Amino acid sequence: MRKYWLAILASVIGLAVIGYFGYSYYEQKHRLPVYKTMPDFALENLDGSPFHFSDTDGKVRLVAFIFTNCIDVCPPTTLNMAKIQKELKAEGLFGKDVQLMTVTFDPERDTPAVLQKYADSFGADQTGWHFLRGEEATVAQVAQSFGVGVLKQPDGTFVHTMKIFLIDKEKKMRAIYGMAAEMDMDKIIGDMKRLADE
């Protein structure tokens, strides 16, 4: 009988060890990489008040760069972010644990009123979705810190890197996604939830 119980105990311990190392392997395999730590930056909210990226430390952030006159990837990207907002609200994470940020390249045409109208058209809840602007050169510098290249065209439009970025609670860049149709919504939401739990 003693040998029987020892065999069971050994089996339980063996399964626990296998489970531990299996879980550790899974976590390492699925853990989001760290690309770099983002510097702090200062822009403006739509009401003209200062916005510092560090103000949102402790929260997971999804950051996109757009301009409202864009007829290509910007509108569908913002629409997808609105869908992400809805999902995060349903999960009880929006605003509290995760936030969205949209930064315009075009402060000349994207006045606070224009940007507010744009935000409203997508049903943006600005308690957890920041629409930011600043001097064109300042925004270009911020974009560059994310690895986004931007070039203003003669017609006033912008050619830019078509990526959005996931930043964790400690300002570390953890994921880079495509824009518009290249956004894997399930993955983005899953990644945001994973980082919110870290």
Side-chain angles (χ1 to χ4, degrees), residues 47-58:
D47 62 3
S49 62
F51 171 90
H52 295 274
F53 193 47
S54 57
D55 293 341
T56 59
D57 284 355

Side-chain angles (χ1 to χ4, degrees), residues 104-119:
T104 178
F105 291 118
D106 190 7
E108 184 178 341
R109 288 187 294 189
D110 289 345
T111 63
V114 168
L115 205 53
Q116 180 67 62
K117 184 176 180 181
Y118 182 82

Side-chain angles (χ1 to χ4, degrees), residues 8-177:
I8 290 177
L9 180 61
S11 297
V12 169
I13 292 172
L15 288 173
V17 169
I18 290 170
Y20 171 78
F21 284 107
Y23 179 76
S24 296
Y25 173 76
Y26 177 86
E27 279 293 298
Q28 287 297 325
K29 186 176 179 183
H30 291 84
R31 183 175 172 83
L32 295 173
V34 174
Y35 290 99
K36 62 179 179 178
T37 300
M38 300 304 300
D40 196 13
F41 60 82
L43 293 170
E44 291 181 1
N45 290 300
L46 292 185
D47 62 3
S49 62
F51 171 90
H52 295 274
F53 193 47
S54 57
D55 293 341
T56 59
D57 284 355
K59 298 180 181 181
V60 178
R61 295 150 281 192
L62 185 65
V63 183
F65 294 85
I66 60 99
F67 60 104
T68 64
N69 280 325
C70 170
I71 58 172
D72 188 8
V73 296
C74 302
T77 297
T78 309
L79 178 62
N80 282 342
M81 290 180 73
K83 293 175 182 177
I84 291 170
Q85 170 188 264
K86 182 178 179 181
E87 180 67 25
L88 294 175
K89 279 189 169 186
E91 297 281 344
L93 299 172
F94 180 78
K96 179 172 66 76
D97 299 300
V98 296
Q99 297 200 347
L100 308 179
M101 295 180 191
T102 297
V103 185
T104 178
F105 291 118
D106 190 7
E108 184 178 341
R109 288 187 294 189
D110 289 345
T111 63
V114 168
L115 205 53
Q116 180 67 62
K117 184 176 180 181
Y118 182 82
D120 290 344
S121 71
F122 289 97
D125 180 349
Q126 292 178 59
T127 62
W129 188 348
H130 303 275
F131 284 78
L132 305 170
R133 55 193 306 281
E135 294 294 329
E136 195 173 306
T138 302
V139 173
Q141 187 175 17
V142 172
Q144 186 178 32
S145 74
F146 278 82
V148 172
V150 55
L151 184 63
K152 190 172 185 178
Q153 302 300 294
D155 64 357
T157 61
F158 295 81
V159 175
H160 60 90
T161 305
M162 293 186 289
K163 299 292 181 185
I164 61 174
F165 306 90
L166 186 59
I167 313 300
D168 70 13
K169 300 172 185 179
E170 299 176 346
K171 288 205 289 289
K172 292 181 174 63
M173 183 183 291
R174 302 294 295 276
I176 304 170
Y177 313 106

